Amino acid sequence: MQQNFISILQNCSLKIQNILRQSHTNYLNSTNPSGDTQLALDIQADKIIEEELLKLDFIKGICSEEKSKAIYKNNGSYLVAYDPLDGSSIIESNLSVGSIFGIYEKEFKASKLIGAAYIVYGPRLELIFAGDKLHYYVHTGEDWQEKSPPALKKKGNINATGGTQKYWETNHKKLIENLFDEGYRLRYSGGMVPDLHQILIKGGGLFSYPSTSDAPKGKLRKLFEVFPFAFIYEKAGGEAIDGKNRLLELDIKDLHESTACFLGSEYEIKKVRNFYE
Ligand code: AHG
Ligand code: MN
Ligand code: MN
């Protein structure tokens, strides 16, 4: 099953990379269930992934950031939740974007997550897949090459934090200031895929999207963005919390629910707990 799934993601990534290269970054008049205005590319990428995933016998259902409801089949036992195109607001400026996937067993909830993956559309096409362990694939232009998987050290030096600064809570301001005082450097593109990929590849640091006064539950969605990356970061030796609790132990009531999130290496997550307790 894992190999079939990886192959399907590799097919999707090549198709999506193709549509991204055509450079039609126009917005539509529609919004997704989170209220974001959709790009034609969001919908095209969503369709590509839907068609590919529904071909797999072991897939029972899918849901995505761009669909209000899940789609179910009669067979299969695994569910996939995905963000077809993450970073659609930075696509116009030609920064790296990505796709994110979580594989759930029978139910869309964190405790049922059994695998996760993301694709990076950058100067290179790359895929990270996490099942029992991490796999890292890079497309050479001809075919896919597997590289040794990245791992998080106990401490890093990158600080990537989102949200509108004027709406940050005091504890978040203090946390960020403390990291800079310790010599951390700001690295934030506004796309969680390249931002989290950079921390993973460089071996450590902190990615945070806090709760803010204008977005008390943060912005990033549990099923399509936060849980898959929490799974990947834990497999890479890191940790992932909402400020206090482990992200992969959070409940979910609505498919499109969001949460504050902090993902990083051991040292930085310990610091988050100290500032947020
Ligand atoms: P999407 O394009 O799927 O709506 O998500 C973009 C997300 C994520 O990639 C990023 O970390 C965050 O939005 C950036 O938000 P801010 O601009 O509020 O920092
Ligand atoms: Mn997204
Ligand atoms: Mn998206």
Side-chain angles (χ1 to χ4, degrees):
M1 164 193 126
Q2 182 169 310
Q3 210 41 56
N4 289 347
F5 193 76
I6 291 172
S7 302
I8 288 287
L9 295 190
Q10 291 175 338
N11 290 347
C12 290
S13 72
L14 289 163
K15 290 186 180 175
I16 294 173
Q17 188 191 44
N18 242 338
I19 60 163
L20 294 176
R21 283 179 172 163
Q22 291 162 13
S23 138
H24 302 299
T25 55
N26 54 306
Y27 280 96
L28 303 173
N29 289 323
S30 53
T31 54
N32 72 11
S34 303
D36 309 322
T37 305
Q38 292 170 313
L39 289 174
L41 286 169
D42 287 317
I43 304 296
Q44 287 168 9
D46 188 40
K47 224 43 219 156
I48 288 172
I49 296 170
E50 173 184 331
E51 279 174 21
E52 290 286 333
L53 288 179
L54 292 179
K55 283 183 198 162
L56 292 167
D57 289 341
F58 56 84
I59 303 272
K60 175 187 161 70
I62 58 166
C63 75
S64 98
E65 195 183 272
E66 307 304 335
K67 299 183 195 305
S68 54
K69 288 194 193 132
I71 299 175
Y72 290 100
K73 299 194 305 189
N74 293 325
N75 55 338
S77 52
Y78 296 101
L79 300 169
V80 180
Y82 61 95
D83 179 354
L85 194 57
D86 179 82
S88 30
S89 72
I90 54 173
I91 212 158
E92 268 180 307
S93 43
N94 200 21
L95 289 167
S96 293
V97 293
S99 304
I100 311 167
F101 305 83
I103 313 167
Y104 299 81
E105 201 164 8
K106 294 196 175 89
E107 270 178 282
F108 285 116
K109 58 194 266 196
S111 57
K112 301 285 183 183
L113 193 57
I114 56 140
Y118 66 84
I119 298 162
V120 192
Y121 310 98
R124 285 186 307 279
L125 185 59
E126 302 197 345
L127 168 69
I128 293 270
F129 179 89
D132 292 336
K133 59 186 182 84
L134 285 193
H135 294 271
Y136 181 23
Y137 302 94
V138 178
H139 197 260
T140 60
E142 301 268 306
D143 52 18
W144 291 93
Q145 253 175 29
E146 185 160 7
K147 293 177 64 166
S148 59
L152 291 163
K153 292 178 249 172
K154 294 224 178 303
K155 181 184 179 309
N157 62 6
I158 296 176
N159 182 16
T161 182
T164 307
Q165 285 77 24
K166 83 166 183 175
Y167 299 126
W168 282 354
E169 291 163 0
T170 313
N171 48 2
H172 194 69
K173 285 184 184 149
K174 286 187 177 157
L175 165 72
I176 296 306
E177 202 178 284
N178 181 276
L179 287 167
F180 287 136
D181 287 347
E182 278 194 21
Y184 280 75
R185 290 181 298 162
L186 177 66
R187 292 289 184 267
Y188 189 71
S189 74
M192 77 180 299
V193 172
D195 289 334
L196 280 159
H197 188 56
Q198 170 156 240
I199 292 172
L200 194 56
I201 296 299
K202 304 251 186 205
L206 181 69
F207 175 90
S208 52
Y209 201 105
S211 46
T212 53
S213 55
D214 63 330
K217 294 186 88 184
K219 173 187 181 187
L220 298 174
R221 286 136 289 214
K222 289 177 173 175
L223 281 186
F224 317 114
E225 296 164 320
V226 174
F227 293 162
F229 268 112
F231 188 89
I232 291 166
Y233 262 52
E234 288 192 0
K235 292 286 175 208
E239 291 183 47
I241 62 170
D242 69 353
K244 293 187 177 87
N245 307 301
R246 189 174 160 239
L247 290 167
L248 293 180
E249 286 173 18
L250 297 184
D251 283 339
I252 182 155
K253 290 191 190 70
D254 176 84
L255 294 180
H256 295 271
E257 205 172 297
S258 61
T259 177
C261 63
F262 300 81
L263 299 97
S265 3
E266 198 183 299
Y267 178 83
E268 292 85 14
I269 297 296
K270 196 169 170 205
K271 194 181 277 296
V272 175
R273 288 189 197 278
N274 288 340
F275 278 86
Y276 270 83
E277 79 183 353

